[in-house]
């Protein structure tokens, strides 16, 4: 039995939903990209000003002001260093993982043998399937990710295939998760 997943194309809304599901964006308060830019600019401008205010607090012998200002300045400096060294890399890696998984999932076919995407992935090579309706996230033992969008008509067929393979861990969730961390932290 071969199941071809036509309409496994992801539109712009699906892409935003996937990025939100697979990253830590769901932990942040709702914000637009414009407010993110403004907040980031404010931190960049505020950090050197905090150092200046700390010096004024020290000169005026107001040690409470000095302590508060220097702690905030060091905190913002550390955050900026983290953001420009690790934060952007993590975001780029997440986007690459999603892009690769979506590319594999475009002409996806399921059979009794395995999943035919960019290569044939046998069911023995698949470690975990995370179900977040309507998406199926197939994670292989080599830490490769395949994303499949399932329509309700084919869901029963896929569930029957999954039931036959006891080696695959099936996780059904309705909460977003960070797939980048999930793939990297797995043994």
């Amino acid at each position: 039995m071969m199941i071809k997943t036509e309409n496994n194309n992801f539109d712009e809304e699906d892409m935003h939903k996937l990025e939100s599901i697979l990253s830590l964006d769901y932990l942040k308060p709702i914000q637009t990209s414009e407010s993110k830019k403004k907040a980031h600019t404010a931190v960049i401008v505020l950090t050197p000003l905090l150092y200046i205010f700390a010096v004024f607090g020290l000169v005026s012998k107001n040690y409470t002001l000095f302590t508060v200002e220097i702690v905030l300045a060091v905190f913002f400096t550390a955050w900026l260093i983290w953001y420009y060294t690790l934060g952007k890399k993590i975001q780029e890696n997440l986007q690459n993982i999603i892009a690769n998984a979506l590319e594999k999932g475009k002409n996806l076919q399921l059979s009794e043998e395995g999943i035919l995407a960019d290569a044939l992935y046998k069911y023995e090579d698949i470690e975990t399937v995370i179900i977040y309706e309507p998406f199926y996230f197939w994670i292989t033992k080599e830490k490769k990710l395949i994303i499949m969008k399932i329509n309700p008509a084919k869901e029963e067929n896929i569930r029957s295939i999954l039931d036959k393979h006891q080696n695959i861990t099936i996780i059904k969730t309705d909460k977003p998760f960070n797939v980048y961390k999930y793939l990297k932290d797995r043994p």
Side-chain angles (χ1 to χ4, degrees):
M1 173 172 82
M2 179 73 77
I3 302 172
K4 178 150 176 53
T5 58
E6 66 272 336
N7 296 334
N8 203 34
N9 297 327
F10 299 92
D11 58 12
E12 192 71 26
E13 182 180 330
D14 289 336
M15 294 296 289
H16 289 298
K17 188 173 182 181
L18 283 171
E19 285 183 10
S20 177
I21 292 168
L22 300 178
S23 68
L24 292 177
D25 285 346
Y26 65 94
L27 293 175
K28 299 176 189 173
I30 297 173
Q31 53 184 326
T32 64
S33 61
E34 188 63 32
S35 65
K36 286 181 188 178
K37 288 178 187 175
K38 287 179 182 177
H40 188 77
T41 303
V43 169
I44 290 173
V45 170
L46 184 62
T47 303
L49 290 176
L50 288 171
Y51 283 109
I52 293 169
F53 292 147
V55 170
F56 287 141
L58 187 61
V59 170
S60 67
K61 296 186 181 185
N62 187 344
Y63 298 114
T64 306
L65 176 66
F66 169 75
T67 304
V68 170
E69 298 295 332
I70 201 72
V71 167
L72 284 173
V74 169
F75 174 75
F76 284 152
T77 302
W79 182 84
L80 286 170
I81 290 169
W82 173 85
Y83 179 78
Y84 283 107
T85 57
L86 295 176
K88 282 195 167 194
K89 285 183 183 178
I90 290 172
Q91 188 174 1
E92 289 171 7
N93 287 343
L94 175 64
Q95 289 171 345
N96 288 338
I97 288 171
I98 293 171
N100 290 338
L102 292 176
E103 188 62 35
K104 288 177 191 170
K106 281 187 179 175
N107 297 314
L108 204 66
Q109 294 181 354
L110 290 156
S111 68
E112 294 296 327
E113 297 173 13
I115 300 172
L116 182 62
D118 60 336
L120 178 64
Y121 298 95
K122 296 188 177 191
Y123 292 115
E124 300 87 48
D125 298 332
I126 296 173
E127 183 178 89
T128 307
V129 175
I130 302 173
I131 302 170
Y132 185 100
E133 299 295 337
F135 302 108
Y136 278 53
F137 301 92
W138 304 77
I139 301 171
T140 67
K141 291 179 181 173
E142 294 87 32
K143 305 305 177 209
K144 294 183 181 178
L145 176 69
I146 304 168
I147 301 174
M148 181 188 307
K149 185 177 177 183
I150 301 296
N151 61 16
K154 298 192 179 186
E155 187 171 8
E156 198 61 41
N157 292 335
I158 293 170
R159 297 274 177 131
S160 67
I161 289 174
L162 287 173
D163 289 340
K164 294 177 187 175
H165 301 281
Q166 300 300 322
N167 63 314
I168 300 174
T169 304
I170 301 171
I171 301 170
K172 186 170 183 167
T173 183
D174 57 350
K175 295 178 182 171
F177 56 95
N178 182 349
V179 76
Y180 179 73
K181 184 175 185 323
Y182 183 82
L183 289 172
K184 295 298 178 191
D185 290 345
R186 298 293 288 191

